């Protein structure tokens, strides 16, 4: 078996062209998912009636469904429903016009939201209850307790897991070719379709994934070191 | 003056407090004794609305509220006149000693930062921890953490400080220093309700001792009356278990 390094480089460059797409598919769901996940975690932590039960089921379901299926179902639902709704509302948008990446972002956000809500919920539950009592006893309101005592302790606890989620999202984004989005993997494969040198293409893409994930790890590690130096994170 | 009338509280079917009446004069130090599970913690936590009592009312200074009906504003008003020292210290782990002390002042009371820190530092000196102002809870011994807890309560300049077994979680050799700080604070005229199992401390510090069991007050009186001229059989049995 011969390995064509020159072609690998070519595939590498072709794939690199789509790096922004892959990053977008990782970071946007992370940001949306963090906001929604935090909200769900709070709703469940404070046991808000009805909503807490609703989101419990939401999380249970989305935790069990493979990302590919969330992606495919989102695609089908969008393609089917969007035109109908647009038609009935006499809107001039159609499925053909919308960026397929937004469907991928939607699907990955669902996946991220359920995972991140569990991460935050676990972190909230691990704050010793006594500290929260103490915060109320010095006269803080519920919102102040959340902002001053709970959130600052939840963030550093959750951070390594949020980091793992980002890496999962980056890797899961390789599935988006199934809804005809071109990401780094798909970009390299398109290149290899000409000469069937898929191995070179796959190796090239692997290197990019590795580079992205290593950079994310490095940034997180740097942040943790910084946080440790400020001693905010060292819990008893 | 603090007046607690007819307070009762159940958890599910278990009646924990069964209509207790307690009146405390300004500057009075009241010690509550009682076997484990008799409702001492629940009593203190209800005063501070960390638990919601089912019935009864509290008047403290100008504020008078019914436990059951109290709205969040009224709850906040009561909390801002009371402070609590916890068995497990329960310091904010992500904050330094001084930050623990000033949190209530700056955030709840909206005091200017500079004044709050000045007051906080004075209080840390008072409990002998001036040089630990920037230490985090995990860098402090249990006794030191509890003294920060006491400074945190004092900072609020409350009408009453509620102590829930402040030395029960401490290693024996650290109990003394903590009790000394509490005695010292008592001498400055702060009103206190203290739940403790330290009998000689109770004898020394209390203006009045209350013995409670099963959610009711069995007997109360001066330390001499309660420890030396004990009237009730149940109190005698309880005290016999602590050989003073
Ligand atoms: N949050 C709670 N839920 C249910 N039962 C509780 C709760 N808190 C306390 N209890 C029960 O109330 C009783 C009195 O507890 P507590 O007030 O802590 O007693 P003490 O402080 O005198 O030891 C105990 O039987 C305890 O199990
Ligand atoms: Mg107790």
């Amino acid at each position: 078996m011969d390995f064509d390094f020159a072609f690998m480089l070519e595939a590498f460059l072709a794939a690199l062209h789509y790096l922004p797409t892959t990053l977008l598919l990782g970071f946007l769901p992370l940001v949306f998912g963090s906001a929604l996940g935090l909200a769900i975690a709070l709703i469940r932590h404070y046991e808000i009636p009805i909503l807490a039960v609703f989101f419990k089921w939401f999380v249970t379901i989305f935790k069990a469904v493979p990302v590919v299926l969330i992606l495919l179902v989102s695609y089908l639902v969008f393609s089917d429903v969007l035109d109908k709704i647009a038609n009935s509302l006499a809107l001039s948008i159609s499925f053909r016009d919308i960026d397929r990446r937004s469907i991928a972002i939607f699907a990955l956000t669902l996946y991220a939201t359920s995972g991140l809500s569990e991460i935050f919920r676990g972190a909230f539950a691990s704050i010793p209850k006594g500290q929260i009592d103490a915060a109320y006893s010095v006269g803080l309101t519920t919102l102040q307790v959340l902002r001053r005592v709970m959130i600052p302790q939840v963030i550093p606890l959750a951070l390594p897991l949020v980091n793992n989620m980002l890496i999962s999202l980056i890797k899961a984004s390789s599935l988006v070719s199934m809804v005809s989005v071109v990401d780094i993997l798909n970009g390299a494969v398109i290149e290899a379709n000409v000469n069937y040198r898929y191995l070179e293409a796959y190796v090239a893409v692997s290197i990019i994934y590795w580079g992205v994930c290593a950079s994310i790890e490095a940034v997180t590690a740097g942040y943790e070191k910084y946080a440790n130096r400020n001693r905010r994170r060292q819990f008893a | 003056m603090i007046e607690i009338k007819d307070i009762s509280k159940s958890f599910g079917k278990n009646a924990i407090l069964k209509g207790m009446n307690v009146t405390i004069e300004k500057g009075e130090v009241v010690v509550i004794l009682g076997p484990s599970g008799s409702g001492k913690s629940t009593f203190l936590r209800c005063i501070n609305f960390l638990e919601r009592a089912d019935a009864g009312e509290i008047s403290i200074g100008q504020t008078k509220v019914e436990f059951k009906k109290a709205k969040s504003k009224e709850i906040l008003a009561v909390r801002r006149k009371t402070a609590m020292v916890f068995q497990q210290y329960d310091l904010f782990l992500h904050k330094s000693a001084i930050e623990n002390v000033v949190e209530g002042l700056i955030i709840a009371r909206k005091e200017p930062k500079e004044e709050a820190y000045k007051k906080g530092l004075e209080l840390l000196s008072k409990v002998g921890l001036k040089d630990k102002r920037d230490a985090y809870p995990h860098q402090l011994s249990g006794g030191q953490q509890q003294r920060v807890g006491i400074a945190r309560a004092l900072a609020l300049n409350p009408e009453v400080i509620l102590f829930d077994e402040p030395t029960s979680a401490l290693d024996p050799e650290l109990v003394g220093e903590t009790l000394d700080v509490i005695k010292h604070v008592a001498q400055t005229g702060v009103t206190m309700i203290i739940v403790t199992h330290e009998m000689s401390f109770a004898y020394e510090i209390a203006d009045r001792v209350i013995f409670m069991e099963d959610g009711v007050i069995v007997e109360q009186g001066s330390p001499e009356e309660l420890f030396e001229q004990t009237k009730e059989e149940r109190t005698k049995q309880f005290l016999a278990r602590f050989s003073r």
Side-chain angles (χ1 to χ4, degrees):
Chain A
M1 194 168 81
D2 65 329
F3 192 90
D4 185 344
F5 278 100
F7 179 71
M8 190 191 86
L9 190 64
E10 212 174 287
F12 182 87
L13 292 175
L16 211 53
H17 183 68
Y18 294 98
L19 185 59
T21 297
T22 292
L23 292 179
L24 199 71
L25 295 175
F27 278 94
L28 274 189
L30 188 82
V31 171
F32 296 151
S34 292
L36 295 170
L38 190 61
I40 291 175
L42 286 171
I43 286 168
R44 294 185 65 190
H45 183 80
Y46 289 112
E47 293 171 358
I48 312 266
I50 304 172
L51 286 180
V53 178
F54 173 79
F55 284 117
K56 178 173 177 252
W57 281 103
F58 169 86
V59 171
T60 312
I61 290 166
F62 279 94
K63 225 168 45 172
V65 177
V67 190
V68 190
L69 290 177
I70 303 180
L71 207 55
L72 291 173
V73 170
S74 302
Y75 184 82
L76 289 179
V77 169
F78 262 91
S79 60
D80 190 46
V81 172
L82 192 76
D83 283 352
K84 282 183 192 155
I85 292 178
N87 257 337
S88 68
L89 295 176
L91 297 173
S92 61
I93 48 167
S94 88
F95 182 65
R96 266 180 302 122
D97 306 332
I98 66 166
D99 190 337
R100 297 290 139 94
R101 289 185 300 184
S102 53
I103 297 170
I105 288 166
F106 173 83
L108 289 171
T109 296
L110 283 179
Y111 164 71
T113 299
S114 69
L116 288 163
S117 80
E118 288 289 85
I119 289 170
F120 288 127
R121 200 168 67 93
F124 277 125
S126 71
I127 300 175
K129 174 117 186 356
Q131 265 186 79
I132 295 164
D133 284 344
Y136 284 121
S137 83
V138 300
L140 301 197
T141 62
T142 308
L143 214 61
Q144 287 169 336
V145 173
L146 186 63
R147 200 162 49 79
R148 304 280 311 174
V149 178
M150 295 169 71
I151 300 280
Q153 298 192 58
V154 158
I155 302 288
L157 278 173
L159 202 71
L161 297 169
V162 172
N163 178 58
N164 285 350
M165 175 55 82
L166 177 57
I167 288 172
S168 300
L169 282 168
I170 299 270
K171 291 193 288 193
S173 74
S174 62
L175 300 164
V176 294
S177 63
M178 309 199 68
V179 294
S180 41
V181 173
V182 185
D183 68 330
I184 53 176
L185 174 58
N186 210 4
V189 167
I190 290 169
E191 201 71 8
N193 282 343
V194 185
N195 58 7
Y196 303 107
R197 290 202 167 271
Y198 290 108
L199 180 64
E200 285 82 348
Y202 292 150
V203 172
V205 183
S206 300
I207 292 170
I208 300 178
Y209 278 117
W210 176 82
V212 169
C213 292
S215 315
I216 293 168
E217 294 274 15
V219 169
T220 314
Y223 171 79
E224 282 185 359
K225 216 164 163 188
Y226 160 83
N228 271 337
R229 202 169 39 240
N230 284 335
R231 290 220 218 84
R232 301 269 162 166
R233 286 202 59 235
Q234 289 183 12
F235 294 176
Chain B
M1 197 176 81
I2 299 147
E3 208 173 350
I4 297 149
K5 275 198 205 148
D6 255 331
I7 183 171
S8 48
K9 168 73 183 167
S10 305
F11 286 113
K13 283 192 191 123
N14 294 337
I16 306 299
L17 302 178
K18 303 168 184 168
M20 289 169 56
N21 290 286
V22 180
T23 304
I24 296 158
E25 300 300 328
K26 194 167 167 47
E28 196 179 11
V29 176
V30 173
V31 166
I32 300 182
L33 303 178
S36 155
S38 56
K40 305 181 297 295
S41 297
T42 304
F43 177 66
L44 295 187
R45 292 171 60 80
C46 285
I47 293 178
N48 216 350
F49 284 93
L50 293 178
E51 303 286 355
R52 176 77 82 142
D54 306 323
E57 60 179 49
I58 179 169
S59 58
I60 176 166
Q62 302 302 313
T63 310
K64 181 171 177 178
V65 294
E66 283 180 51
F67 286 114
K68 186 148 190 201
K69 292 184 187 155
K71 305 214 171 51
S72 38
K73 244 196 177 136
E74 294 168 313
I75 292 175
L76 221 51
V78 172
R79 281 190 183 144
R80 285 175 184 180
K81 291 181 177 181
T82 60
M84 190 143 175
V85 174
F86 297 85
Q87 187 171 353
Q88 302 292 340
Y89 337 127
D90 293 328
L91 298 184
F92 310 126
L93 297 181
H94 60 305
K95 292 183 186 294
S96 65
I98 186 84
E99 287 169 342
N100 265 277
V101 176
V102 300
E103 181 72 10
L105 291 178
I106 295 173
I107 304 304
R109 301 267 167 98
K110 307 268 184 271
E111 283 193 18
K113 266 192 182 162
E114 208 172 313
E115 264 172 57
Y117 272 86
K118 194 164 154 256
K119 199 186 281 182
L121 201 58
E122 271 168 32
L123 288 166
L124 282 180
S125 310
K126 198 166 174 179
V127 300
L129 291 174
K130 195 175 176 185
D131 54 330
K132 295 286 184 193
R133 56 167 288 170
D134 294 319
Y136 283 82
H138 70 99
Q139 297 167 316
L140 299 171
S141 73
Q144 290 171 333
Q145 288 190 54
Q146 191 57 296
R147 278 144 64 194
V148 174
I150 293 168
R152 175 172 71 182
L154 282 172
L156 304 168
N157 195 19
E159 304 257 340
V160 61
I161 303 185
L162 314 167
F163 291 82
D164 192 1
E165 301 199 28
T167 59
S168 295
L170 293 175
D171 292 335
E173 73 270 20
L174 299 177
V175 170
E177 63 179 46
T178 310
L179 293 181
D180 285 343
V181 168
I182 299 175
K183 280 181 213 163
H184 184 68
V185 171
Q187 281 157 13
T188 62
V190 178
T191 314
M192 298 179 173
I193 305 178
I194 307 174
V195 171
T196 184
H197 292 299
E198 298 286 338
M199 293 301 160
S200 53
F201 168 71
Y203 190 94
E204 195 179 331
I205 198 175
D207 296 310
R208 178 153 51 111
V209 182
I210 294 176
F211 173 71
M212 68 178 283
E213 194 172 47
D214 290 337
V216 294
I217 294 174
V218 174
E219 181 171 0
Q220 58 180 312
S222 69
E224 292 79 13
E225 285 169 340
L226 200 107
F227 286 111
E228 283 151 20
Q229 302 142 37
T230 317
K231 292 195 202 74
E232 300 290 329
E233 196 51 40
R234 281 152 77 187
T235 317
K236 282 181 193 162
Q237 281 170 8
F238 174 77
L239 292 176
R241 277 190 269 140
F242 295 88
S243 50
R244 255 196 319 127

